[in-house]
C-alpha cells in the first residue's frame, strides 16, 4: 500500500529524524530510571554527588537543543549549594531531585531569557557517605545506598569487633593509617588553598599571589606560591602571545588598507584624465577631425580603469572586515580565558569542601584509634558483652543521638556508633560519656565545614 495512506506514520518519522540522537537516548534514560518515587522523597545535602542534564525544545527549528555546558556531575558543597556554569550557586540542601531540576530549569530560563522553560533532570550519582565507629572491625567512611540498615552498615565495616592477640597491633596500624590519610589531605589542602588564591589573582588581572591566611606560618608557603606563580606566568605569556599575533595581523591589514586607499586615489586621477581625454576626442570626432576608433579605445581604457577601481574598493572592504574580526578574536580570547579560570575556581572550591570533610573524618579516626579504642579494649575484657547501637544524626540546627537496633534504617551522613559493654560493668555512665565525645566531634566537624 502507498505511504500516502499513512499520514500519521510519515509525521512521526519526520519528527524522529529532526530530533538529535543524543536527546532521544536521554529521554529513554529518563523513562527507565528506577525508583523514581523513592528518590523523589530523598532530600539532598552536603557531599551528595548528582548528575544534571538540560535540554530545550526549539520550535522554530523543530529540534531539541542540549545545554552541554550545564550537563555533568556536581557535588553539593558544605554550605548545601551546587556551583553551576552560567547559573552560579544554587541552594540544593533540603530539596528533592525533582525540586532541584525545576530550580535549574527556572533559573536557566530567567538568566538566558528563554520563552519556554527547558527540561531538566537531576539524578543522584552518589549519596553522601555514612560513618561507622566504635566496636567494629574497620571503622571509617562508607558509601551509602538506599534502605541501608544498621546491621548492613556493620557488615560493610567488617562486622563487630573481635578481640584477638593482635588487637593492639591493629589499633596502632589504624592510627598510623588515619594519620597518613590526614597528612595526605592536609598537603593537598595547602596546594588547593594556594591555587584558589592564584585563580582569584588571575581573575583580578593581578601579578602577585597573596599568602592564604591559613598558610602564613607554613614554611612551605613560599615554595607553593612560587609553583603557582610559574603556572600563572606561563598562562599569561600564552595569552599575550596570542594577542600579539592577533595585533600583528590587524596591523598588517591596516597597512594594506592604507596602500589600497593610495591606489584608489591614483586610480581616481587616471580616471579623471581618461574622461577629459575622451571628452576632447569626442568633440574632435563630431567635427570630423578624429576617427571613431580612437574614441572607442579611450572608452575601453576608461572602463578598465573603473573596473580596477571597483577591485580596489572591494579589497578595502575585505581588509576592514579582517580588522574587525581581529578585534573580535582578541575580545573572545580574553573572555574565554576568564571563563576557564572561573570554571577552575569553582572546581577548586568543591575540592576544598571535600578535603575539609576528609580532614574531619581522619581526625575523628585518629582520636578514636589513639584514645577511645584502647580504652574500649581494656574495658571489654569480660567474655559476656552487651551490644548497643546509636545513630548520630546531624539535623538542620543541631546533632542528635538516637538509640537504634540492627534493623533501623540508616540515612546518608549518619554516624553509626557500635558499643560493646560487659553485662557486669559497673560503669553504666560510660555510654553517656562517649556520647558527649561523639557530639563534641560532630560539632567540631560542623565548624570545620
Amino acid at each position: 500500500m502507498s505511504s500516502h495512506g499513512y499520514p500519521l506514520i510519515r509525521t512521526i518519522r519526520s519528527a524522529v529524524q529532526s530530533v538529535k540522537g543524543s536527546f532521544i537516548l536521554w529521554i529513554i534514560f529518563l523513562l527507565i530510571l528506577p525508583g523514581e518515587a523513592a528518590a523523589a522523597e530523598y532530600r539532598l545535602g552536603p557531599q551528595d554527588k548528582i548528575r544534571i542534564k538540560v535540554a530545550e525544545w526549539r520550535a522554530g527549528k523543530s529540534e531539541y537543543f542540549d545545554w552541554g555546558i550545564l550537563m555533568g556531575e556536581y557535588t553539593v558543597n558544605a554550605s548545601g549549594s551546587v556551583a553551576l556554569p552560567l547559573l552560579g550557586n544554587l541552594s540544593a540542601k533540603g530539596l528533592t531531585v525533582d525540586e532541584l531540576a525545576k530550580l535549574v530549569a527556572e533559573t536557566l530560563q530567567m538568566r538566558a531569557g528563554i520563552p519556554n522553560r527547558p527540561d531538566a533532570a537531576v539524578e543522584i550519582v552518589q549519596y553522601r557517605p555514612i560513618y561507622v565507629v566504635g566496636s567494629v572491625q574497620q571503622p571509617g567512611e562508607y558509601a551509602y545506598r538506599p534502605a541501608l540498615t544498621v546491621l548492613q552498615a556493620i557488615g560493610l565495616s567488617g562486622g563487630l569487633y573481635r578481640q584477638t592477640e593482635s588487637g593492639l597491633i591493629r589499633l596502632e596500624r589504624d592510627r598510623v593509617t588515619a594519620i597518613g590519610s590526614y597528612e595526605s589531605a592536609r598537603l593537598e589542602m595547602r596546594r588547593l588553598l594556594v591555587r584558589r588564591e592564584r585563580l582569584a589573582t588571575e581573575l583580578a588581572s593581578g601579578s602577585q599571589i597573596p599568602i592564604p591566611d591559613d598558610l602564613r606560618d607554613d614554611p612551605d608557603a613560599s615554595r607553593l606560591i612560587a609553583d603557582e606563580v610559574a603556572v600563572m606566568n606561563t598562562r599569561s605569556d600564552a595569552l599575550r602571545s596570542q594577542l600579539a599575533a592577533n595585533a600583528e595581523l590587524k596591523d598588517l591589514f591596516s597597512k594594506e588598507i592604507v596602500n589600497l586607499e593610495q591606489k584608489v586615489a591614483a586610480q581616481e586621477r587616471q580616471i579623471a584624465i581618461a574622461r577629459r581625454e575622451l571628452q576632447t576626442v569626442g568633440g574632435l570626432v563630431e567635427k570630423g577631425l578624429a576617427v571613431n576608433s580612437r574614441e572607442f579605445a579611450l572608452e575601453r581604457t576608461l572602463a578598465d580603469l573603473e573596473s580596477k577601481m571597483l577591485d580596489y574598493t572591494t579589497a578595502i572592504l575585505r581588509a576592514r572586515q579582517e580588522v574587525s574580526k581581529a578585534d573580535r578574536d582578541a575580545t573572545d580570547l580574553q573572555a574565554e580565558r576568564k571563563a576557564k579560570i572561573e570554571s577552575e575556581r569553582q572546581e577548586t572550591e568543591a575540592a576544598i569542601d571535600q578535603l575539609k570533610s576528609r580532614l574531619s573524618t581522619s581526625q575523628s579516626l585518629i582520636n578514636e584509634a589513639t584514645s577511645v579504642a584502647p580504652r574500649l579494649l581494656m574495658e571489654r575484657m569480660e567474655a559476656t558483652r552487651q551490644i548497643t547501637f546509636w545513630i548520630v544524626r546531624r539535623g538542620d540546627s543541631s546533632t542528635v543521638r538516637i538509640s537504634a537496633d540492627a534493623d533501623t534504617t540508616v540515612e546518608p551522613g549518619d554516624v553509626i556508633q557500635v558499643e560493646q559493654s560487659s553485662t557486669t560493668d559497673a560503669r553504666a555512665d560510660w555510654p553517656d560519656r562517649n556520647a558527649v565525645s561523639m557530639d563534641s566531634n560532630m560539632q567540631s566537624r560542623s565548624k570545620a565545614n
Side-chain angles (χ1 to χ4, degrees), residues 313-448:
T313 304
T314 303
I316 289 175
L317 292 177
R318 188 178 297 111
R320 286 175 178 169
Q321 288 178 348
E322 293 295 336
V323 170
S324 299
K325 182 178 180 298
D327 290 333
R328 290 194 304 271
D329 290 344
T331 302
D332 291 343
L333 282 173
Q334 294 175 338
E336 182 181 355
R337 177 174 180 267
K338 287 188 176 181
K340 183 177 180 180
I341 294 173
E342 178 61 27
S343 177
E344 291 180 1
R345 188 190 66 80
Q346 293 179 1
E347 292 175 357
T348 301
E349 291 288 354
I352 288 175
D353 290 337
Q354 292 180 353
L355 278 177
K356 287 180 180 179
S357 178
R358 283 178 52 191
L359 285 169
S360 177
T361 301
S362 298
Q363 185 63 59
S364 297
L365 294 176
I366 291 173
N367 293 338
E368 183 203 5
T370 303
S371 58
V372 178
R375 187 178 72 247
L376 293 181
L377 184 63
M378 297 302 296
E379 291 178 348
R380 297 175 187 177
M381 297 299 293
E382 297 295 333
T384 304
R385 290 179 174 82
Q386 179 180 359
I387 301 174
T388 306
F389 305 117
W390 299 90
I391 293 179
V392 181
R393 181 170 297 162
R394 182 184 302 175
D396 292 336
S397 58
S398 62
T399 300
V400 295
R401 192 167 183 260
I402 306 169
S403 177
D405 57 33
D407 296 326
T408 301
T409 303
V410 178
E411 294 184 4
D414 283 352
V415 178
I416 297 93
Q417 182 181 354
V418 182
E419 298 176 356
Q420 294 190 56
S421 60
S422 172
T423 56
T424 60
D425 193 350
R427 286 171 290 182
D429 64 330
W430 175 79
D432 293 333
R433 288 186 284 109
N434 195 63
V436 172
S437 176
M438 285 299 301
D439 289 342
S440 175
N441 288 340
M442 292 297 295
Q443 292 173 3
S444 299
R445 183 182 305 166
S446 177
K447 292 179 180 179

Side-chain angles (χ1 to χ4, degrees), residues 168-444:
L168 292 176
I169 298 177
R170 184 187 69 82
L171 292 175
E172 179 62 19
R173 183 175 64 248
D174 290 345
R175 186 183 71 85
V176 172
T177 301
I179 291 175
S181 298
Y182 180 88
E183 185 63 18
S184 175
R186 187 184 69 84
L187 294 175
E188 181 65 20
M189 176 67 79
R190 294 191 312 167
R191 287 192 291 270
L192 289 176
L193 290 174
V194 177
R195 182 180 303 169
R196 181 172 64 180
E197 293 295 336
R198 187 255 295 171
L199 293 171
T201 302
E202 285 186 296
L203 282 175
S205 300
S207 57
Q208 297 293 330
I209 301 177
I211 299 177
D213 294 337
D214 296 338
L215 301 181
R216 293 197 177 278
D217 298 329
D218 195 313
D220 290 336
S222 299
R223 178 181 59 80
L224 294 172
I225 289 179
D227 293 341
E228 293 298 328
V229 167
V231 174
M232 183 176 67
N233 291 339
T234 300
R235 287 155 59 112
S236 298
D237 291 342
L239 178 63
R240 281 195 296 268
S241 177
Q242 291 176 314
L243 292 176
N246 203 66
E248 290 178 359
L249 183 63
K250 177 182 175 181
D251 183 62
L252 179 63
F253 281 111
S254 298
K255 291 179 179 178
E256 182 178 355
I257 291 173
V258 173
N259 293 334
L260 288 171
E261 288 176 344
Q262 293 175 353
K263 290 183 178 181
V264 166
Q267 195 74 5
E268 287 176 345
R269 289 193 298 271
Q270 291 182 9
I271 291 173
I273 293 172
R275 284 176 178 169
R276 287 197 302 269
E277 186 176 358
L278 178 60
Q279 184 178 6
T280 301
V281 171
L284 294 175
V285 170
E286 290 178 358
K287 296 177 181 180
L289 300 178
V291 296
N292 291 333
S293 59
R294 184 179 178 187
E295 183 179 16
F296 293 153
L298 287 173
E299 288 178 350
R300 285 195 299 269
T301 301
L302 180 59
D304 291 340
L305 292 173
E306 290 176 343
S307 176
K308 185 173 289 187
M309 181 71 170
L310 290 175
D311 292 340
Y312 290 153
T313 304
T314 303
I316 289 175
L317 292 177
R318 188 178 297 111
R320 286 175 178 169
Q321 288 178 348
E322 293 295 336
V323 170
S324 299
K325 182 178 180 298
D327 290 333
R328 290 194 304 271
D329 290 344
T331 302
D332 291 343
L333 282 173
Q334 294 175 338
E336 182 181 355
R337 177 174 180 267
K338 287 188 176 181
K340 183 177 180 180
I341 294 173
E342 178 61 27
S343 177
E344 291 180 1
R345 188 190 66 80
Q346 293 179 1
E347 292 175 357
T348 301
E349 291 288 354
I352 288 175
D353 290 337
Q354 292 180 353
L355 278 177
K356 287 180 180 179
S357 178
R358 283 178 52 191
L359 285 169
S360 177
T361 301
S362 298
Q363 185 63 59
S364 297
L365 294 176
I366 291 173
N367 293 338
E368 183 203 5
T370 303
S371 58
V372 178
R375 187 178 72 247
L376 293 181
L377 184 63
M378 297 302 296
E379 291 178 348
R380 297 175 187 177
M381 297 299 293
E382 297 295 333
T384 304
R385 290 179 174 82
Q386 179 180 359
I387 301 174
T388 306
F389 305 117
W390 299 90
I391 293 179
V392 181
R393 181 170 297 162
R394 182 184 302 175
D396 292 336
S397 58
S398 62
T399 300
V400 295
R401 192 167 183 260
I402 306 169
S403 177
D405 57 33
D407 296 326
T408 301
T409 303
V410 178
E411 294 184 4
D414 283 352
V415 178
I416 297 93
Q417 182 181 354
V418 182
E419 298 176 356
Q420 294 190 56
S421 60
S422 172
T423 56
T424 60
D425 193 350
R427 286 171 290 182
D429 64 330
W430 175 79
D432 293 333
R433 288 186 284 109
N434 195 63
V436 172
S437 176
M438 285 299 301
D439 289 342
S440 175
N441 288 340
M442 292 297 295
Q443 292 173 3
S444 299

